[in-house]
Amino acid sequence: MTEPTWKRPAKLFAVATAGLVAALTIAACGSTGGTDNSDVPTAQGGKASGTLNISNWPLYIDGKTISDFEKQTGITVKYNEDVNSNTDFFGKVQPLLSNGDSGGRSILVVTDWMSEKMYNLGFLQNLNPDELTTVFDNIIPSLEDPAFDPGRGYSIPWQSGMTGLVVRTDLAPDIKSVNDLFDPKYKGKVTMLDELRDSAALVMKGDGVDPTEATTEEWLAAVDKVKQAKESGQIRRFTGNDYVQDLAKGDVVAAIGWSGDAIQAQADNPNIEYIQPEQGCILWSDNMSIPVGAPNAPAAYEFMNYVYEPENQAQIVEYVNYISPVAGVKEILTKKDPALANNELIFPSDQFLSKCTNQTSPPGDEAEQKEVENAWLSVVEG
Amino acid sequence: MGVWQRIRDNSTLFVGILVLVYMLAPIAVIAIFSFNDPTGKFNFEWVGFTTEYWANAFDNQEINDSLWLSVRLAFFTSLGATILGTLIALALVRYEFGGRKAANLLIVIPIATPEVVIGAALLSLFVYASASLGFTTLLVAHIMFSISFAVIVVRSRLIGFDRRLEEAAADLGAPPLTTFFKVTLPLLLPGIAGALMLTFALSIDDFVISNFNAGSEVTFPLYIFGANQRGIPVQVNVIATMLFVIAVVAILFVILQQRRAEKLVEKRADDDNKASLSIPV
Amino acid sequence: MTTLRQRLVPYGLLGPGLLWLFLFFVLPMVFMAWFSVSSGSLESGWSLTWTFSNYTDAISNYTTQFGRSFLYAGAATIFCLLLGYPLAYAIAFKAGRWQNLMLFAVIAPFFTTYLIRTIAWKTILEDSSPVVSFLKTIQVIPSDGRVLATSAAVIAGLTYNFLPFMVLPLYASLERLDLRLLEASKDLYASATQTFLRVTLPLTAPGIVAGVLLTFIPAVGDYINATFLGGVNQSMIGNVIQAQYLVINDYPTAAALSFTLMVIILVAVSLYIRFAGTEALMGDEEEAK
């Protein structure tokens, strides 16, 4: 006698489901995750030696600084350019950091809002100002005391930059404001950054709203405006660091992008320029922090002090082309490379920055922020 | 035979070759651009011919580190998966036992699961168990998704196996383990080699599952993904072409060995025939 | 008469491998299931709250992506079949001495990594490339159109990347074909087409089943092709799952999406197998006895 053919898989299924329910019930006894922010350690200083593992954004350092540092201090540096976007990097390190494991890193560099988020999750150590005398001697006044980290308790700026428009001036000479990105004439030839706090905030400014004072509704309205542009095919892609490629190829004529990239991109295509939007830019900093479980905090402190020496910083700025957080660099470069010293993108005047606002997160509690973030995600990933 | 007939006869071959060209087109592009000399950071427009990057193929430490990691990972994965898979295949093909259906199911379902789900599920496990992500978790994950493939390859070889050779060995008085090591295993070798190669290739190629479970380790595909954002160094093209060439050479070698073995068998058969013809009956 | 030891041998052989699969496939699925009905966040931790609404929310929010994934994967599978069958046929019957070489040419692209191959397609298909210019000249695309960042590009990428998975099972099946059956058919005055439709095709059905499954299933969950070759409106469900896990860290939603995807695939596969036959999958051991 043979069973009807449907009985065997059905039996199998029943057994499997029973097992699953049993396992789940057992697992129900536990919960997991969660972080305790009450006990943030302070990174210990001391004699700096050994190996230093740094995670930074790509193309953010020149070719000599690391070897110069190694020669001067005897510390071996492993410099990883594995931060391609704040969220991607967060996704990668979050499982480690929640276990107090830094993955070998002693310094990581992320943007303001991510520094804040990581600190609130207990992923970063407090910094001891006594170990960072050079830093605090030379940091420019405007970056000394930001709202999200008063007195720089856990973050030290690596470089600052502006989010604005990066344009192929030969293909789209008349782009002057973020609203020009919505011009149907450029349909399918426009990209935006996948970063909420850059793209939506800039779009908001185009409508006259100040992101640092906007309400959740105003954020959602900006997100919605982007959504419509995406659905109509106006926006070709949402990008991370890779928008420069499309611009160089000419597949895209205008993008929301970062000031330093524009300068570096001119090697690929001299017609790529940074255009300061009429309504102003978004100002941000990428900050060095020491994560929990960092194996070599003394070396980290040493490195931070090293790059805050004006001569060393000048060497970095010459290559990186972003805004330096260290005072005294402009004077050094005026002698070495006057063209660079006068470049408004690297040493912007107050007038150039007059309408710019600091990068900021959506307001409100966790739930309200999640609402905006999820709305944005469905636009970017949907 | 008319021309029309000729075309029709060979049309399948023609289409087949077209499809092959289609398959190799991107490889050609990769190889061509490994000789490019780009001005900026991006390597998609032909600027000029240079062998500079071939000469300095291993100058980029980051690429080297990630490549070495991938190779090590693939090596241990192929070993682990092939061993476990061969054992399973032997059991499935040679023995009667209860729970066969369940075993089959367990082996087949991972192949039927999208990589993104496997990677994500493993991440769920590791997060829940507070395990530290890195080489070990990568190895575990890679072996896991490779076992099923190893089973399939070895199993198909086992099925076509001529049992009489083993029976002959037994008749000649060999104990089962000796038979296994001296008869079965050597004859199984092509299947095992195939499993090793397949699992090695799958592991070195894997991106999705590694992306979820690598922690801060960077495999070669993960490096490429990150590098894509800011411009992939020409060395990557060079290395990709090298990998391809190495594989081609390896397979050509195997094919040549096969042909030689076949010729040898033919020759021996001929000799035997000649010999047998001269034996008076 | 089998001794106890002999009866235990198969279990001993199966043991290590199956244990590995159990620990690192089944168990993770259990944890994923746990996450799928939990709630919470990275900051506050997760706990099992039996929130089945995770599933309903996930499905309703991402129906488009689910549908798109099945559409793209289905289209790619069909193209793979149309391209792969002639190739497999040619290798099996028309290749002669070049058989092994051609087979190898099918597998060879695997040895350059998946990502590089897909990125190479980006170069081939960019707006200013010769290929695209040609297509514009012969009017396949409008002159202000593009290939990259469209559905066509994603489907093309999927087809390309999964073609070997279709060709190899087809080849294996074709190779086992008894040529005498084809000759018999010809002897009975059947035309080439009739022979193909009535003899070859049905006999290679197991190969087709295996090829279709091996192509369709991974294609549905793929997100690489959509990332590199697609634009804003080409996200597949794989992209969403990946983002939910690694970007938003909303594990419950991500887990719910993953399970839903798996279930749909399993259902589709079972229906297909029921319809097309099962020998391709699990029954071959009988041959060996």
Side-chain angles (χ1 to χ4, degrees):
Chain A
M1 185 177 66
T2 48
E3 299 178 333
T5 45
W6 61 266
K7 266 214 169 162
R8 264 173 309 177
K11 261 200 232 165
L12 215 52
F13 183 70
V15 169
T17 322
L20 198 63
V21 171
L24 278 181
T25 326
I26 298 175
C29 303
S31 61
T32 185
T35 46
D36 182 5
N37 204 13
S38 52
D39 253 330
V40 180
T42 305
Q44 294 301 309
K47 175 103 180 57
S49 64
T51 315
L52 176 62
N53 219 310
I54 304 177
S55 273
N56 204 344
W57 298 72
L59 301 171
Y60 234 179
I61 200 170
D62 66 298
K64 285 192 71 226
T65 301
I66 297 287
S67 44
D68 287 349
F69 175 74
E70 286 179 319
K71 265 185 233 127
Q72 180 171 316
T73 60
I75 299 175
T76 317
V77 174
K78 194 160 181 293
Y79 186 84
N80 305 308
E81 293 179 327
D82 55 352
V83 186
N84 278 304
S85 98
N86 286 304
T87 39
D88 280 356
F89 184 69
F90 181 79
K92 196 155 72 152
V93 296
Q94 177 266 321
L96 293 165
L97 288 173
S98 2
N99 285 333
D101 177 4
S102 73
R105 302 172 174 86
S106 296
I107 295 183
L108 50 80
V109 179
V110 289
T111 319
D112 297 329
W113 67 274
M114 181 52 80
S115 306
E116 187 183 4
K117 177 171 175 174
M118 284 188 167
Y119 185 72
N120 289 336
L121 285 170
F123 294 169
L124 303 176
Q125 302 195 43
N126 283 326
L127 299 174
N128 185 348
D130 296 334
E131 299 283 346
L132 291 170
T133 39
T134 321
V135 170
F136 286 107
D137 277 346
N138 292 330
I139 191 170
I140 57 181
S142 59
L143 288 174
E144 250 180 337
D145 197 21
F148 75 94
D149 182 15
R152 292 284 173 194
Y154 59 86
S155 65
I156 303 291
W158 169 259
Q159 294 286 304
S160 249
M162 299 177 278
T163 306
L165 300 166
V166 183
V167 177
R168 278 287 294 268
T169 49
D170 56 334
L171 299 173
D174 56 345
I175 296 205
K176 297 274 173 267
S177 122
V178 72
N179 292 323
D180 290 333
L181 293 178
F182 296 95
D183 189 337
K185 159 162 82 175
Y186 300 118
K187 181 165 165 173
K189 294 197 157 278
V190 157
T191 61
M192 289 196 180
L193 290 169
D194 60 7
E195 174 55 76
L196 165 71
R197 294 156 181 83
D198 280 329
S199 295
L202 209 59
V203 166
M204 211 183 291
K205 285 170 77 73
D207 285 336
V209 179
D210 181 346
T212 53
E213 310 198 332
T215 60
T216 306
E217 286 70 36
E218 286 171 319
W219 278 89
L220 288 172
V223 171
D224 198 60
K225 184 171 175 183
V226 174
K227 177 173 179 187
Q228 312 232 349
K230 163 197 139 165
E231 285 175 348
S232 72
Q234 179 74 15
I235 302 179
R236 183 185 172 113
R237 279 203 311 134
F238 290 98
T239 70
N241 265 325
D242 55 337
Y243 58 94
V244 178
Q245 217 178 104
D246 291 340
L247 279 168
K249 278 196 246 174
D251 287 353
V252 159
V253 303
I256 295 187
W258 297 306
S259 51
D261 282 351
I263 306 179
Q264 289 171 345
Q266 289 178 336
D268 285 284
N269 189 317
N271 294 306
I272 299 182
E273 281 181 45
Y274 176 83
I275 305 282
Q276 185 77 299
E278 274 167 358
Q279 308 85 352
C281 69
I282 304 284
L283 268 177
W284 45 264
S285 290
D286 286 327
N287 306 302
M288 299 184 276
S289 293
I290 301 184
V292 291
N296 200 342
Y301 280 136
E302 187 79 23
F303 186 76
M304 292 180 182
N305 283 320
Y306 181 84
V307 297
Y308 264 75
E309 298 276 2
E311 299 82 33
N312 300 329
Q313 177 72 197
Q315 193 174 319
I316 297 179
V317 169
E318 268 186 294
Y319 176 83
V320 167
N321 303 148
Y322 273 97
I323 303 177
S324 174
V326 178
V329 176
K330 182 166 182 178
E331 288 70 23
I332 298 182
L333 283 180
T334 314
K335 288 181 227 130
K336 275 174 80 178
D337 190 344
L340 213 64
N342 290 324
N343 191 333
E344 269 211 301
L345 297 181
I346 303 178
F347 296 102
S349 62
D350 289 333
Q351 213 241 344
F352 194 67
L353 294 176
S354 58
K355 299 219 193 82
C356 296
T357 47
N358 283 327
Q359 194 192 55
T360 182
S361 287
D365 61 11
E366 215 182 290
E368 289 174 316
Q369 283 196 356
K370 262 257 157 22
E371 194 189 343
V372 178
E373 286 185 352
N374 273 326
W376 180 250
L377 185 83
S378 67
V379 173
V380 167
E381 288 291 347
Chain B
M1 248 207 285
V3 175
W4 205 221
Q5 187 66 8
R6 278 296 247 330
I7 295 179
R8 279 182 68 199
D9 273 353
N10 291 324
S11 62
T12 338
L13 186 59
F14 187 59
V15 172
I17 294 190
L18 270 183
V19 176
L20 270 183
V21 169
Y22 166 68
M23 292 197 68
L24 295 172
I27 316 288
V29 168
I30 297 171
I32 292 176
F33 276 94
S34 70
F35 291 105
N36 192 15
D37 187 14
T39 42
K41 341 177 240 169
F42 295 109
N43 184 16
F44 55 81
E45 234 165 60
W46 184 259
V47 174
F49 182 90
T50 174
T51 49
E52 169 191 348
Y53 293 102
W54 278 89
N56 300 324
F58 296 103
D59 269 4
N60 186 323
Q61 195 52 36
E62 258 191 282
I63 300 183
N64 296 346
D65 289 343
S66 66
L67 190 60
W68 178 232
L69 176 66
S70 283
V71 168
R72 270 186 306 152
L73 188 58
F75 178 74
F76 287 112
T77 301
S78 61
L79 271 183
T82 306
I83 293 177
L84 291 173
T86 308
L87 293 177
I88 294 182
L90 281 169
L92 282 179
V93 176
R94 295 290 182 83
Y95 293 90
E96 298 272 0
F97 57 91
R100 172 181 287 274
K101 284 286 175 195
N104 268 330
L105 207 64
L106 188 53
I107 294 167
V108 166
I109 290 197
I111 301 188
T113 315
E115 282 201 310
V116 69
V117 174
I118 295 184
L122 273 168
L123 182 63
S124 304
L125 173 71
F126 293 139
V127 166
Y128 190 89
S130 302
S132 176
L133 299 177
F135 188 81
T136 326
T137 50
L138 273 177
L139 186 60
V140 164
H142 278 225
I143 292 185
M144 181 246 122
F145 74 74
S146 304
I147 293 182
S148 310
F149 289 99
V151 171
I152 293 183
V153 173
V154 178
R155 199 181 105 218
S156 61
R157 176 76 186 166
L158 265 177
I159 288 178
F161 206 84
D162 195 346
R163 302 300 300 267
R164 294 175 299 178
L165 291 161
E166 287 176 331
E167 286 163 20
D171 287 344
L172 290 168
L177 256 140
T178 316
T179 315
F180 180 73
F181 281 111
K182 292 224 163 157
V183 180
T184 320
L185 215 48
L187 284 172
L188 213 46
L189 225 41
I192 295 186
L196 279 173
M197 264 181 45
L198 182 61
T199 49
F200 189 89
L202 285 176
S203 166
I204 243 194
D205 205 40
D206 177 70
F207 171 74
V208 175
I209 299 187
S210 306
N211 192 30
F212 277 95
N213 295 295
S216 49
E217 295 283 346
V218 181
T219 65
F220 189 54
L222 284 175
Y223 169 82
I224 297 176
F225 188 70
N228 178 58
Q229 304 257 325
R230 52 191 146 123
I232 298 184
V234 184
Q235 278 102 344
V236 171
N237 287 50
V238 171
I239 292 181
T241 315
M242 265 193 216
L243 286 173
F244 180 74
V245 169
I246 292 177
V248 171
V249 167
I251 299 280
L252 278 178
F253 182 69
V254 169
I255 292 182
L256 262 145
Q257 287 288 76
Q258 258 189 338
R259 291 242 179 107
R260 280 177 67 208
E262 278 166 18
K263 286 220 178 85
L264 219 59
V265 170
E266 274 176 34
K267 187 166 180 303
R268 286 224 193 96
D270 272 346
D271 289 344
D272 282 345
N273 277 338
K274 286 195 199 121
S276 64
L277 282 175
S278 62
I279 295 176
V281 172
Chain C
M1 193 104 66
T2 48
T3 62
L4 183 65
R5 225 170 108 212
Q6 278 180 309
R7 305 251 328 258
L8 285 180
V9 167
Y11 292 109
L13 290 174
L14 288 171
L18 288 188
L19 186 67
W20 195 281
L21 282 177
F22 181 79
L23 280 178
F24 301 115
F25 180 73
V26 177
L27 221 51
M29 289 296 166
V30 171
F31 283 111
M32 202 166 74
W34 188 93
F35 270 111
S36 72
V37 288
S38 305
S39 52
S41 74
L42 208 54
E43 292 85 355
S44 52
W46 290 278
S47 43
L48 189 64
T49 50
W50 299 103
T51 326
F52 284 97
S53 60
N54 284 332
Y55 280 92
T56 44
D57 287 342
I59 300 179
S60 57
N61 283 338
Y62 295 108
T63 330
T64 329
Q65 283 82 358
F66 270 114
R68 215 184 265 150
S69 300
F70 282 92
L71 182 66
Y72 288 177
T77 309
I78 294 180
F79 283 122
C80 279
L81 195 52
L82 291 174
L83 287 174
Y85 205 100
L87 179 58
Y89 197 90
I91 299 181
F93 298 129
K94 307 273 184 174
R97 308 176 51 211
W98 304 107
Q99 198 180 61
N100 280 330
L101 202 59
M102 281 179 85
L103 259 184
F104 170 66
V106 170
I107 314 182
F110 264 134
F111 289 92
T112 55
T113 41
Y114 186 46
L115 261 81
I116 286 260
R117 296 200 300 276
T118 315
I119 294 175
W121 273 110
K122 233 183 131 167
T123 308
I124 299 180
L125 293 176
E126 73 194 10
D127 291 5
S128 48
S129 77
V131 174
V132 177
S133 310
F134 174 68
L135 287 172
K136 283 186 187 165
T137 324
I138 62 173
Q139 305 265 324
V140 171
I141 342 174
S143 58
D144 64 341
R146 60 171 193 254
V147 177
L148 276 185
T150 62
S151 305
V154 178
I155 295 181
L158 285 170
T159 308
Y160 175 78
N161 278 314
F162 292 107
L163 197 50
F165 288 101
M166 176 65 82
V167 171
L168 293 176
L170 281 177
Y171 166 76
S173 188
L174 279 165
E175 210 217 358
R176 292 209 205 142
L177 210 54
D178 193 342
L179 279 174
R180 295 173 298 180
L181 291 166
L182 295 181
E183 280 176 27
S185 164
K186 270 200 216 131
D187 288 345
L188 292 169
Y189 297 111
S191 71
T193 326
Q194 280 175 319
T195 311
F196 179 73
L197 287 175
R198 295 255 187 113
V199 182
T200 321
L201 214 47
L203 283 174
T204 52
I208 298 182
V209 170
V212 166
L213 289 179
L214 282 177
T215 308
F216 183 76
I217 292 172
V220 172
D222 182 78
Y223 63 88
I224 303 293
N225 286 286
T227 307
F228 286 107
L229 302 172
V232 288
N233 289 318
Q234 279 80 37
S235 293
M236 296 170 71
I237 196 68
N239 294 79
V240 178
I241 295 181
Q242 183 260 129
Q244 288 284 354
Y245 261 110
L246 298 178
V247 175
I248 303 221
N249 306 122
D250 186 353
Y251 291 175
T253 309
L257 285 169
S258 302
F259 261 111
T260 314
L261 180 63
M262 265 192 79
V263 167
I264 300 182
I265 291 182
L266 281 175
V267 166
V269 164
S270 336
L271 283 175
Y272 180 71
I273 293 182
R274 171 69 64 91
F275 181 66
T278 53
E279 310 90 55
L281 282 191
M282 294 195 238
D284 295 6
E285 286 88 47
E286 314 311 316
E287 285 180 34
K289 303 266 160 56

